[in-house]
Amino acid sequence: MKKCGKIGIVGLGLIGGSIAIALSGSYEIVGMSRNPDTVRYALENGIIDRAVSSYSEFIGLDAVIVCTPLSLVKKTVEDLYAALGDSVIITDVGSVKGMLSGLPGRIVGGHPMAGTEQSGIRAAKERLLENAYYILVDYKDNPRDLDFMKNLVLACGAVPIIMTADEHDKLVAKISHLEHMAAYSLINSAMTGDEEIVGSGFMDTTRIASSSPEFWATVAKLNKDNLLAEMDKYIETLNLLKEDIEKDADIIPTLTKAKQRRDALGYKRRYMTSYVVYVDVPDCVGSIVGVLAKLSDNGVSINNLTVMNSREGVGGALRIELKDERGYKKAKEIFG
Ligand code: NAP
């Protein structure tokens, strides 16, 4: 099969490895990583076509994707430019985009909005990016390079969305970075570490506090101004609620407004990468199978299934991740 182009990938971890696997049928993939075992694994498993050990060996490719840890992305992009100049597109997958503004070279920023809590090449998956939004930043206003990147994103099974670095960084400060800081702070404010009993709400609200502290410290540093603005807004909102509670004021309208906005999120989903419904199930034989059978009878495919809060005699909840919006709407229709 004729290949669509030649791609270099620096940093064969979760994201770099997953992009390599997703593109391997349609592009020639040249890989580079720090650890020789990782490179060996990638070659042995057909994740990359060949490996290189210096940036200058990427000459002749169409694009190089920087998939190193976030703290190294800017330096890696600068070093690649020093070795390759304008001969290739240099793109990245870093979670903050302002850091590449103003750098020389044919840079197109990228941020696939997909991931797991795992890391490294062994966690890489062909379908990690499937249906995920993949933000592209056209720093150089270069339609040809942007088109090349759009096609590459589509070949990964992802959905390209174009925005400026500033729009991206403001958006992620609001929908992701603030929430991680809030989850870390919630744990530190509410827990001593000796608790034996915690509510499921606490577990839901703080799940992301198990994310990598090193990664999130880097994010906070690189997106500092936008994050601080969102933190100020959040502190102000929390203070207003606190004042109302102190004054015994009616807080139902405030909570109702939040509930309505949260309930509507499933349908909007512009920057979410999953369609999730929760279904309560009784603690009896066959209840989970019954839920799955209803979905299957209605032609609904699922991506993932988690059993939550399952305790003997009490029943539990199923967290079901649907494959697409149609499945999500159908599941909501069936289970309410
Ligand atoms: P990861 O699994 O830790 O992968 C990074 C890989 O980079 C490591 O496996 C390591 O491979 C390699 N590496 C480290 N230092 C290197 C160096 N100096 N030169 C070349 N390779 C080096 O992390 P990841 O989750 O894929 O994250 C990579 C990038 O994706 C980050 O910039 C992050 O912002 C972005 N991102 C992550 C997610 C997510 O949810 N994980 C989502 C969107 C974007 P070795 O095995 O060779 O040491």
Side-chain angles (χ1 to χ4, degrees):
M1 186 177 128
K2 190 175 177 307
K3 303 272 179 175
C4 307
K6 296 178 185 174
I7 303 295
I9 297 183
V10 183
L12 295 166
L14 172 72
I15 300 291
S18 298
I19 292 177
I21 299 171
L23 294 181
S24 59
S26 39
Y27 291 79
E28 182 182 331
I29 308 291
V30 182
M32 178 173 174
S33 212
R34 177 187 52 176
N35 186 339
D37 284 342
T38 302
V39 175
R40 200 173 312 120
Y41 180 90
L43 283 168
E44 282 172 6
N45 288 279
I47 295 173
I48 57 175
D49 295 302
R50 60 189 171 92
V52 295
S53 52
S54 70
Y55 293 153
S56 57
E57 292 173 81
F58 286 129
I59 285 177
L61 304 191
D62 297 296
V64 180
I65 312 177
V66 176
C67 301
T68 50
L70 186 59
S71 56
L72 297 177
V73 168
K74 185 173 179 221
K75 167 96 172 66
T76 312
V77 168
E78 286 169 336
D79 291 348
L80 276 165
Y81 178 71
L84 305 169
D86 286 326
S87 68
V88 297
I89 298 169
I90 301 176
T91 183
D92 76 315
V93 293
S95 310
V96 180
K97 302 271 52 93
M99 64 184 174
L100 301 185
S101 297
L103 292 186
R106 286 166 59 199
I107 302 175
V108 181
H111 179 199
M113 303 196 72
T116 70
E117 58 297 335
Q118 295 164 308
S119 60
I121 186 94
R122 284 170 177 76
K125 289 180 191 64
E126 182 183 354
R127 292 173 183 274
L128 187 77
L129 272 63
E130 198 174 75
N131 297 327
Y133 293 110
Y134 193 129
I135 313 288
L136 290 174
V137 177
D138 185 14
Y139 298 101
K140 302 300 163 101
D141 199 9
N142 181 334
R144 241 178 107 184
D145 288 353
L146 186 64
D147 269 355
F148 185 89
M149 284 306 300
K150 278 195 218 162
N151 287 330
L152 186 143
V153 167
L154 291 170
C156 287
V159 182
I161 292 191
I162 321 298
M163 52 177 74
T164 66
D166 194 43
E167 284 167 349
H168 170 275
D169 289 354
K170 283 196 164 79
L171 174 76
V172 289
K174 189 200 290 270
I175 64 167
S176 168
H177 302 176
L178 169 70
E179 289 67 22
H180 281 81
M181 296 307 135
Y184 284 121
S185 304
L186 198 49
I187 291 276
N188 285 341
S189 109
M191 304 204 87
T192 60
D194 294 329
E195 288 80 3
E196 288 183 358
I197 300 175
V198 286
S200 58
F202 191 83
M203 296 300 279
D204 284 353
T205 321
T206 58
R207 178 182 60 81
I208 51 179
S210 290
S211 312
S212 157
E214 292 74 22
F215 173 78
W216 284 101
T218 306
V219 167
K221 207 172 181 165
L222 293 176
N223 202 17
K224 182 174 167 178
D225 292 345
N226 293 317
L227 175 59
L228 288 177
E230 289 301 326
M231 287 175 87
D232 281 343
K233 264 165 52 190
Y234 180 53
I235 291 165
E236 196 186 318
T237 311
L238 207 52
N239 270 331
L240 287 175
L241 185 59
K242 182 176 167 233
E243 278 169 28
D244 279 349
I245 294 172
E246 271 167 359
K247 288 187 285 194
D248 287 323
D250 180 10
I251 61 167
I252 291 178
T254 306
L255 304 190
T256 304
K257 185 169 79 178
K259 175 179 160 36
Q260 284 165 347
R261 288 176 179 181
R262 179 65 181 83
D263 290 349
L265 274 183
Y267 286 105
K268 287 191 182 153
R269 196 197 166 263
R270 185 145 185 232
Y271 297 106
M272 284 165 63
T273 55
S274 61
Y275 296 96
V276 175
V277 295
Y278 293 87
V279 181
D280 288 327
V281 284
D283 183 42
C284 63
V285 176
S287 59
I288 295 180
V289 175
V291 169
L292 295 182
K294 273 188 194 157
L295 290 172
S296 149
D297 291 349
N298 283 281
V300 176
S301 312
I302 70 169
N303 260 353
N304 216 331
L305 175 76
T306 316
V307 184
M308 303 170 69
N309 312 338
S310 191
R311 289 159 291 165
E312 206 177 340
V314 179
L318 292 183
R319 179 186 186 279
I320 306 172
E321 196 177 310
L322 289 316
K323 228 176 162 40
D324 50 31
E325 189 166 358
R326 191 198 68 80
Y328 173 80
K329 286 185 174 166
K330 195 80 207 165
K332 288 294 268 186
E333 221 177 277
I334 302 169
F335 301 113

